[in-house]
Amino acid sequence: MRFSTPIEISPFPFQLTPQSHIVVLGSCFAEHIGQRLACALPPDRVSVNPFGVLYHPMVLARALAMIAFAHPLPEDIFFEGRDGLWHSWWHAGTFSAPTREECQRLVEASLKQAHEVLQKADLLILTLSTDHGYYLKEKLSWGSLVANCHKMPGNLFDEKVTSLDASIGVWESLLPFIKVRYPQLHILWTVSPYRYAKHGMHESQLSKARLHLMIDHLIHAEIPIENGFSQEADSKEITNEWESRKKMSDIFEKTSEKNRQNTPKGKEKKSDVTTSSLSTSTGRWQYYFPAYEILLDELRDYRFFAPDMLHPSEQAVDYIWEKFRETVFSSELNDCASHLYSIRQALAHRPLHPESEDYR
């Protein structure tokens, strides 16, 4: 007799090793998994949320574009908040600082470190959480969609549901360039199991469903390499082409304006996206990890939620982490992770008698 529905996860055609490099972008759930990955691998192999916690598919696409192509950050994303700190509309509060210069220094250092990891990365993990976005009424150079409102007055923003077409369109514009620039990279998509009670549980489910549809479309669309580049193309050549032919700033600005005009909160446009017939000879390189299904279908019990009954509990995150580890870790990395864990435990130990001969 079984009292749960186990989620079967098919093996992926890649495994992580102690030599792997990984970039993790997305929600607070991505933060949990990313921190565990950082502990399992040697130092400087994992970049976890270099923009801070992000939720929205178009915000993640913008962050990835900036990391991948080391594009200069626009000046108008920095502002002084009503708390007296300087913030970035594209970053979480962890990058806020007393001065503009310090805020800019923090975000640029994080961007540089993430770019260095991505250049060597085997795996990019993307965790989506919601397609409800907050759009500044003031227009910025890359559109008005913000990553974080930084507790600014609500009358500065419009809350909009981004259409499925718009989310897919931005990613389909970006992914061909990512594939050519980083041919070794695998993408692993997940959906955060966090539930948005503020939208109502029905709308929370609808939002998660749209994210699932977007991911499924992108995984099976077989994004074409349409730019005429070989995989040996010079990175500067690819970056210049990306900036000139497929300007992401234009894409974000137009999509932001389209959502402002046509997509009121809770009234998203019905998608007319159909299964893509595009093809490429590069093979499959995007995959889905069922974190959402593990919590809501396999665990399916409020004891696996935090006290707010919305976030997964620490025990649930540990369980999903173990499933992830079983799926993508090589035996070599499992041994390495266990060894590193023992070392970190020893380093974190606070001795009662540090002056004793036994401790020395």
Side-chain angles (χ1 to χ4, degrees):
M1 186 177 294
R2 292 195 298 191
F3 293 96
S4 68
T5 309
I7 301 298
E8 301 296 333
I9 306 174
S10 301
F12 298 123
F14 63 88
Q15 285 196 313
L16 300 177
T17 72
Q19 292 75 41
S20 293
H21 290 72
I22 306 165
V23 176
V24 184
L25 294 174
S27 69
C28 49
F29 180 75
E31 192 93 354
H32 294 314
I33 297 301
Q35 289 169 353
R36 285 164 172 78
L37 277 168
C39 290
L41 275 85
D44 303 320
R45 298 293 178 89
V46 183
S47 175
V48 183
N49 275 344
F51 281 67
V53 173
L54 306 176
Y55 305 98
H56 192 281
M58 287 174 59
V59 171
L60 263 73
R62 184 176 62 199
L64 176 58
M66 302 304 291
I67 296 166
F69 302 104
H71 198 285
L73 291 163
E75 290 293 325
D76 57 0
I77 66 171
F78 298 102
F79 71 98
E80 187 175 12
R82 57 181 176 178
D83 55 4
L85 296 175
W86 280 82
H87 309 277
S88 162
W89 289 122
W90 288 9
H91 294 75
T94 49
F95 294 91
S96 300
T99 65
R100 179 193 179 101
E101 291 73 22
E102 178 64 9
C103 179
Q104 190 164 350
R105 186 193 66 79
L106 290 172
V107 302
E108 287 177 350
S110 180
L111 185 61
K112 179 181 177 183
Q113 187 267 345
H115 179 70
E116 291 171 353
V117 175
L118 185 61
Q119 287 182 308
K120 306 172 185 175
D122 317 279
L123 183 64
L124 170 65
I125 300 175
L126 299 169
T127 301
L128 306 180
S129 193
T130 181
D131 58 1
H132 282 248
Y134 289 86
Y135 293 81
L136 267 176
K137 293 178 180 177
E138 173 192 357
K139 190 174 179 181
L140 301 178
S141 57
W142 273 51
S144 56
L145 178 62
V146 303
N148 196 296
C149 294
H150 296 290
K151 300 181 179 179
M152 294 295 283
N155 61 9
L156 296 179
F157 308 94
D158 290 321
E159 183 183 351
K160 303 289 183 181
V161 176
T162 302
S163 72
L164 179 59
D165 290 324
S167 296
I168 288 176
V170 166
W171 278 100
E172 285 191 331
S173 297
L174 175 62
L175 286 174
F177 291 92
I178 297 296
K179 182 58 179 171
V180 176
R181 177 67 183 87
Y182 303 97
Q184 81 288 354
L185 192 66
H186 292 93
I187 295 179
L188 190 62
W189 296 90
T190 66
V191 172
S192 169
Y194 174 77
R195 302 181 305 154
Y196 282 86
K198 68 177 181 178
H199 299 152
M201 288 307 176
H202 179 61
E203 176 54 31
S204 179
Q205 287 288 79
L206 290 175
S207 178
K208 300 292 184 183
R210 291 189 293 268
L211 297 179
H212 278 102
L213 286 169
M214 187 202 93
I215 291 170
D216 191 66
H217 175 88
L218 293 173
I219 287 175
H220 294 100
E222 298 186 348
I223 305 299
I225 308 304
E226 61 183 5
N227 308 306
F229 293 117
S230 69
Q231 291 192 351
E232 291 76 29
D234 179 76
S235 61
K236 185 176 181 181
E237 181 187 1
I238 297 168
T239 303
N240 289 340
E241 175 72 6
W242 171 76
E243 290 179 345
S244 64
R245 236 180 102 196
K246 293 272 191 184
K247 290 191 69 174
M248 292 298 290
S249 57
D250 293 340
I251 294 169
F252 279 107
E253 185 176 350
K254 289 173 183 175
T255 306
S256 174
E257 187 63 27
K258 178 182 176 183
N259 275 282
R260 181 190 300 281
Q261 294 173 352
N262 300 329
T263 316
K265 177 182 175 183
K267 299 292 184 181
E268 68 281 354
K269 173 177 173 278
K270 184 178 179 181
S271 171
D272 56 6
V273 170
T274 57
T275 304
S276 173
S277 60
L278 303 174
S279 63
T280 177
S281 60
T282 58
R284 191 176 176 196
W285 58 296
Q286 299 182 75
Y287 307 90
Y288 176 72
F289 181 79
Y292 179 87
E293 292 80 359
I294 291 171
L295 180 60
L296 272 70
D297 292 321
E298 182 170 344
L299 298 180
R300 203 175 182 82
D301 192 306
Y302 277 112
R303 65 192 163 128
F304 295 113
F305 284 83
D308 65 2
M309 297 292 111
L310 301 173
H311 288 85
S313 69
E314 190 73 15
Q315 187 180 31
V317 174
D318 284 339
Y319 182 82
I320 296 170
W321 162 249
E322 285 303 317
K323 300 270 276 192
F324 176 85
R325 182 171 166 166
E326 290 169 6
T327 305
V328 301
F329 274 32
S330 65
S331 58
E332 184 185 8
L333 182 53
N334 274 316
D335 292 343
C336 176
S338 298
H339 187 55
L340 286 172
Y341 178 72
S342 299
I343 293 172
R344 289 191 171 99
Q345 265 195 322
L347 290 171
H349 177 64
R350 298 179 63 184
L352 290 175
H353 304 287
E355 73 286 350
S356 68
E357 186 65 33
D358 182 58
Y359 177 69
R360 284 196 293 272

